[in-house]
Amino acid sequence: MITTHLGADFDALGAVAGTLLLEPGSRVVFPGSQEAAVRRFLTAEKVELPEVRVRALRRARITGATVVDCSSWRRLGEVGELIAASGCPVRVVDHHPEGAGAIAAAEVSSAPVAATCTVVVGELQRHAVTPDTVTASLLLLGIYEDTGGLTYADTTAADVAAAAWLLGCGARLDWVRRYVLRPLEPAQLELLNQFVEGAVEHQVGGVRVVITVVRPSEQVEEAAYVIHRYAEIFDLPVVVAILEAPPQLIVIARSGVHGVDAGKLLAPLGGGGHATAAAARLRGSSAVEVAERLLAAIAAAVGSRTTAASLATPYLHTCPAATSVAEAKERLVRLRINAMPVEDDGRLVGTVSRQILDSALAGGLGERPVTTVMRPGVPQVGADAALEEVQRVFMEGQARFVVVALPSGWGIITRMDLFRRLYERQLAEGARVDRRLAAARPVVHDVGRRLRRGLEPRLLEVLAAAGELAHESGGRAFLVGGAVRDVLLGRALEDVDVVVEGNGVELAQLLVARFGGRSHPHEPFLTAAVHLADGLRLDVATARTEFYRSPAALPEVETSAMRQDLYRRDFTINAMAIDLTPGRFGELLDFFGGRRDLERRQLRVLHSLSFLDDPTRAIRAVRFATRLGFEIAAETRHLVQVAVLEGVFTRLSGERLRDEIAELLEEAHPVEALGELAGLGVFPVVCPGVEWGAALRGFLHEVETVLSWSQLEEVYAGPRWLVFLVALATRAGEGGGRELAARLALSGKVAVAVANARRRTEQLLAAVSGARAAPSEVVAAVERTEPALVVVTMAAAAAAERRLLRRALTVWMRAPAPVSGADLLAAGVRPGPAIGAAVRQTRAAVLDGTVAPAAALAHAVKLAGRLGGRP
């Protein structure tokens, strides 16, 4: 007889069918019901096997047994007991033989492959047996099921070769598509949604582990297939589903991580399976208890949860031994750190801190070598040192940092790094107790899941490649800044910025080499703009820190670690990063509370000198707050006002101020943004001579309305910001436009338009005022005026004048010319200035109605003759 495990799947069914060819005349016994997909297949395709029911087996004499896709008595149920009681010889065919509780078989056929059907194919080939189409198809179904369509990590070349051989034997791929690679049914989709909602994510020894506990409202067939799809859709390395089906628990595990064997993980629970998939049923334990047992088992399988290497920042700032005390202090201030090791000829020989250097400077030792005052020795640990060892080094030496010897060089662990990890551990322990007491499961918002859901597949592919390439080069890549903010807010990404703890320019070149395109490096700022062949654009930068030689100056940069790179950014909501490293893809780095501020919908700077270092951040604060509908935090508002009182805006270059103001005025609600600038006290600094008030606000709203109409009617195609600058200049008083143009370092026609805005708008308004303004006069006045000035004039005009300007723009100026220079040349008019004059005057006459369009050519010829255009 041939038998298999309870709940037979396609791998078991195919292995049974293949073994029948090797053991003709045998009967098949299924210990219990098959999986739903197998039952559906057998019914639909009318495949019959020489089956014997268990009740008949109880009365039969068993002379021999072959057990396929199973090597444990426990998983055979009553059939296993009957075989054991018979004392007959047993042969086992399986690709994942059990350890404890294994069947003591006389013969075992096994191989390090992903499916038992692959083992059976090997036996068929060895015995030169060619399967019929149905048997070949059943074997192919089993291979595809257990290898996830030949995509699972444990899929071997032998599995692929077996599938190819079966196709050569006539195996039906349409069965594979219909019964294995099938979409989820409605009830299964509901279960998938419950898995997502009940998920709790853990980091265990650097491995992402998700445990989800659900209580289905109804019996759902093929929960194992649903958990497989869940792991596949969300790219989960290790996932365990615990289904509460009183009075029992059903546990299903999937693993794609070497060292986390799903079968071994569930064996203590009475389950079975193989390295990538396993299941168990048990009673007498709660879901919380089982989850904790499994987490402990996974931790034991992957080793220590935390090592020095996992804690360390893989970048170390050092101070050369020849540096003076004063220079060392300047370096610490510039890098915004409190202590660093001293390096002498590649060796770390001591440490210095701000306190030590301040004391030395006070004692007049500023010009002495830093080695004079350093504390000898540097606390160090190996990359594999456990968290407890790192903690001991900190406590015993009162160290500010610990250096870690990494394969790629030196790394560093600060006291804050250690504190954060200990705090996370405490929270995790507390959470386990809370869940046990409250029987509650917190829902984890997976940033990686949001990333995959919110980004285009092509961009996801490029970001994943960036993480892989950086990792292969010994670094780490992160998605940073506004892109992270927009992912968390569910907004479309405006810019894609990637920062590397490593060499950003080299990573940009590697991305271009993989995807095609071009890279534009900017070495002074350690950045590169990447334009891929399909049009995708991203900026890649080396993790760096900035320092300002003086307030409002442009920053100077130096390579740094990720935390320092984020610290140099403007606001907490823009100072987050998402790890792109394989195995950690989707982890959020949030050192400064950016996610909390997103939830509170507030804008907050990172440090008190932010606006003194770079006053343009005040304008950006208003821009982001207006765009996102956020409030500027009270302490941040205070810091802006301090910067205004300190006069730092007056040191800001006109070019930088112009660029920031232009971006602000291009926002969807520029009037509200200007009002916020006024509330912060910044408006009079950036718009000298203009007084903010209700009248100006109302006028600018009118400008906004007319501008929207002008763009809709396509009578204005210039930048929006220029219209608002012109509008402000008209309210700046005598000479105010010139002052505003000079402060913003405007040039060319833009400078002229702003400088003369008040006079030119008044001239245009005068030209269109009065009941006797002829159409040709209005058109001439509009055509002499800069388009932005026309928009502002319309906003300032009374209803009658506005109607006249609107008619000029949309009717008169769009009317086809009644006559052209070519027409006059064809009529014999001599080339020369008379032609242009005749064309213009004829157009004016037609617009004013003094000449009919049909008589335009004759009129123009006559005019040209008077003006000397005839020979």
Side-chain angles (χ1 to χ4, degrees):
M1 61 166 281
I2 303 170
T3 190
T4 186
H5 56 77
L6 293 161
D9 55 11
F10 279 113
D11 192 33
L13 179 67
V16 166
T19 304
L20 277 171
L21 297 181
L22 296 168
E23 300 177 12
S26 294
R27 308 298 294 273
V28 176
V29 180
F30 289 108
S33 178
Q34 302 95 355
E35 282 190 352
V38 173
R39 296 198 307 271
R40 191 161 52 242
F41 166 78
L42 292 173
T43 301
E45 303 300 337
K46 297 181 172 50
V47 174
E48 296 183 357
L49 298 172
E51 184 179 356
V52 175
R53 299 291 183 181
V54 175
R55 62 176 176 271
L57 187 66
R58 294 174 188 145
R59 301 187 299 271
R61 178 170 174 266
I62 304 173
T63 58
T66 297
V67 180
V68 301
D69 200 36
C70 176
S71 54
S72 168
W73 291 119
R74 183 181 64 253
R75 298 183 67 207
L76 292 176
E78 183 184 353
V79 171
E81 296 173 1
L82 295 173
I83 295 173
S86 73
C88 71
V90 178
R91 175 172 175 255
V92 170
V93 181
D94 196 9
H95 72 109
H96 48 83
E98 301 276 349
I103 297 171
E107 181 184 350
V108 176
S109 295
S110 184
V113 293
T116 300
C117 284
T118 302
V119 178
V120 174
V121 165
E123 291 290 303
L124 291 172
Q125 292 172 331
R126 190 162 61 87
H127 289 87
V129 176
T130 301
D132 57 89
T133 296
V134 171
T135 304
S137 300
L138 292 175
L139 287 163
L140 189 65
L141 285 169
I143 293 174
Y144 263 77
E145 179 183 64
D146 265 27
T147 63
L150 305 176
T151 64
Y152 286 171
D154 60 347
T155 302
T156 67
D159 295 302
V160 177
W165 185 73
L166 292 169
L167 287 171
C169 295
R172 296 179 56 176
L173 273 175
D174 62 313
W175 280 7
V176 173
R177 183 176 63 254
R178 190 178 311 151
Y179 297 106
V180 176
L181 306 178
R182 61 193 186 281
L184 294 176
E185 297 174 356
Q188 294 172 329
L189 286 171
E190 175 61 28
L191 181 60
L192 175 64
N193 186 54
Q194 292 181 39
F195 284 153
V196 173
E197 292 180 349
V200 178
E201 184 171 318
H202 308 265
Q203 285 293 328
V204 182
V207 175
R208 185 169 165 232
V209 177
V210 169
I211 295 184
T212 180
V213 181
V214 302
R215 178 172 289 195
S217 56
E218 58 184 63
Q219 182 67 33
V220 179
E221 296 280 10
E222 302 175 86
Y225 178 63
V226 179
I227 202 66
H228 152 64
R229 292 300 306 277
Y230 174 47
E232 183 179 63
I233 292 169
F234 295 105
D235 192 22
L236 303 176
V238 178
V239 60
V240 177
I242 303 175
L243 286 77
E244 296 175 326
Q248 67 178 344
L249 296 177
I250 302 171
V251 185
I252 305 169
R254 292 290 184 270
S255 172
V257 175
H258 179 72
V260 181
D261 186 308
K264 292 179 181 178
L265 184 66
L266 298 193
L269 303 181
H274 51 90
T276 61
R281 295 173 182 262
L282 69 156
R283 302 188 181 198
S285 297
S286 71
V288 172
E289 292 169 336
V290 171
E292 291 183 2
R293 286 174 61 185
L294 292 174
L295 279 174
I298 293 170
V302 301
S304 173
R305 294 189 182 202
T306 306
T307 64
S310 68
L311 271 176
T313 297
Y315 193 89
L316 181 65
H317 288 293
T318 61
C319 181
T323 303
S324 70
V325 169
E327 290 169 338
K329 174 62 185 301
E330 181 186 356
R331 181 164 172 75
L332 286 176
V333 171
R334 189 169 68 237
L335 295 172
R336 295 191 178 101
I337 56 179
N338 293 314
M340 68 169 60
V342 178
E343 183 178 3
D344 186 8
D345 196 24
R347 296 177 300 109
L348 303 181
V349 296
T351 63
V352 289
S353 66
R354 290 200 189 201
Q355 288 85 344
I356 291 173
L357 296 173
D358 284 338
S359 297
L361 289 169
L365 301 177
E367 299 304 317
R368 301 292 297 278
V370 72
T371 51
T372 306
V373 301
M374 72 179 186
R375 180 177 179 178
V378 177
Q380 298 184 33
V381 296
D384 296 328
L387 176 63
E388 292 71 22
E389 170 68 9
V390 175
Q391 188 175 356
R392 182 189 63 77
V393 173
F394 268 104
M395 295 299 294
E396 288 181 355
Q398 295 295 307
R400 290 177 172 270
F401 59 82
V402 171
V403 172
V404 183
L406 300 172
S408 58
W410 296 109
I412 186 171
I413 302 173
T414 65
R415 288 187 296 192
M416 182 57 72
D417 293 331
L418 178 64
F419 172 77
R420 185 178 293 107
R421 185 53 59 94
L422 292 173
Y423 179 64
E424 289 170 355
R425 175 185 281 187
Q426 182 182 17
L427 283 180
E429 293 297 328
R432 277 196 285 275
V433 173
D434 291 343
R435 290 197 297 274
R436 182 181 288 275
L437 293 176
R441 300 181 301 276
V443 176
V444 172
H445 298 285
D446 181 0
V447 174
R449 187 182 308 152
R450 287 195 181 192
L451 198 64
R452 295 179 182 90
R453 189 170 59 234
L455 301 188
E456 294 292 332
R458 175 60 170 171
L459 178 55
L460 272 176
E461 179 188 5
V462 172
L463 292 178
E468 293 168 7
L469 293 169
H471 182 65
E472 291 169 3
S473 301
R476 291 169 69 187
F478 302 84
L479 181 69
V480 300
V484 178
R485 175 200 69 219
D486 291 338
V487 165
L488 296 179
L489 289 175
R491 292 167 52 92
L493 268 62
E494 297 176 6
D495 300 298
V496 180
D497 294 308
V498 173
V499 168
V500 189
E501 285 184 337
N503 192 315
V505 175
E506 285 186 6
L507 177 61
Q509 294 167 346
L510 291 172
L511 286 171
V512 169
R514 174 172 293 193
F515 296 105
R518 61 190 187 280
S519 170
H520 301 285
H522 189 45
E523 296 287 353
F525 284 91
L526 310 175
T527 64
V530 177
H531 300 263
L532 298 183
D534 58 2
L536 183 64
R537 185 189 185 283
L538 64 154
D539 292 312
V540 182
T542 303
R544 62 199 192 274
T545 188
E546 293 177 347
F547 61 95
Y548 295 80
R549 294 285 182 186
S550 61
L554 284 170
E556 299 179 36
V557 300
E558 183 171 326
T559 55
S560 74
M562 194 63 215
R563 188 180 190 279
Q564 290 167 297
D565 184 278
L566 295 175
Y567 186 68
R568 71 181 178 82
R569 295 174 183 271
D570 46 15
F571 310 107
T572 58
I573 63 170
N574 295 333
M576 295 179 285
I578 295 176
D579 203 331
L580 303 178
T581 307
R584 307 183 75 166
F585 190 91
E587 288 185 12
L588 179 69
L589 272 68
D590 180 15
F591 298 105
F592 312 110
R595 190 169 189 178
R596 176 196 61 201
D597 287 338
L598 283 179
E599 293 168 353
R600 294 177 178 177
R601 301 188 67 78
Q602 73 172 9
L603 207 71
R604 185 166 53 88
V605 287
L606 273 70
H607 58 87
S608 60
L609 298 179
S610 183
F611 298 120
L612 296 178
D613 283 344
D614 185 359
T616 62
R617 287 173 176 162
I619 302 171
R620 288 203 295 277
V622 171
R623 176 155 56 89
F624 284 126
T626 306
R627 179 192 303 171
L628 301 173
F630 281 24
E631 292 288 334
I632 298 177
E635 68 272 18
T636 298
R637 299 181 72 89
H638 171 72
L639 293 172
V640 172
Q641 291 157 3
V642 169
V644 172
L645 292 174
E646 290 295 323
V648 294
F649 285 92
T650 61
R651 306 173 207 168
L652 198 59
S653 72
E655 291 82 357
R656 294 188 67 203
L657 183 58
R658 176 199 62 218
D659 292 344
E660 290 294 339
I661 290 294
E663 286 199 59
L664 182 80
L665 296 176
E666 287 289 341
E667 291 289 323
H669 304 289
V671 182
E672 284 72 14
L674 291 172
E676 185 66 29
L677 280 182
L680 291 169
V682 177
F683 182 80
V685 179
V686 298
C687 297
V690 184
E691 184 177 344
W692 184 263
L696 179 58
R697 181 189 290 272
F699 172 59
L700 291 176
H701 275 304
E702 198 64 38
V703 170
E704 192 171 13
T705 300
V706 174
L707 176 58
S708 297
W709 172 86
S710 301
Q711 291 177 316
L712 184 64
E713 289 289 337
E714 298 181 350
V715 297
Y716 180 73
R720 288 169 56 87
W721 62 265
L722 178 56
V723 173
F724 286 103
L725 275 188
V726 166
L728 291 169
T730 64
R731 297 299 189 265
E734 192 65 34
R738 288 190 296 275
E739 185 180 0
L740 181 60
R743 179 66 189 96
L744 299 180
L746 302 178
S747 60
K749 292 182 179 180
V750 171
V752 172
V754 173
N756 300 318
R758 184 171 180 176
R759 178 174 58 83
R760 294 300 303 278
T761 54
E762 289 174 351
Q763 289 173 346
L764 178 59
L765 198 56
V768 301
S769 297
R772 296 185 178 180
S776 62
E777 294 173 347
V778 176
V779 168
V782 170
E783 290 180 338
R784 289 195 303 268
T785 307
E786 163 71 38
L789 289 164
V790 176
V791 175
V792 174
T793 303
M794 287 185 69
E801 286 79 11
R802 185 179 296 186
R803 282 195 298 271
L804 202 59
L805 286 168
R806 184 181 298 124
R807 186 166 177 78
L809 290 165
T810 59
V811 179
W812 298 333
M813 292 172 63
R814 288 180 176 174
V819 67
S820 68
D823 295 333
L824 294 181
L825 289 172
V829 176
R830 185 171 55 202
I835 287 182
V839 167
R840 289 191 296 272
Q841 292 180 33
T842 302
R843 179 195 181 208
V846 172
L847 285 174
D848 295 340
T850 59
V851 173
L857 179 58
H859 180 75
V861 170
K862 187 176 180 180
L863 277 175
R866 287 183 197 160
L867 297 169
R870 284 202 177 274

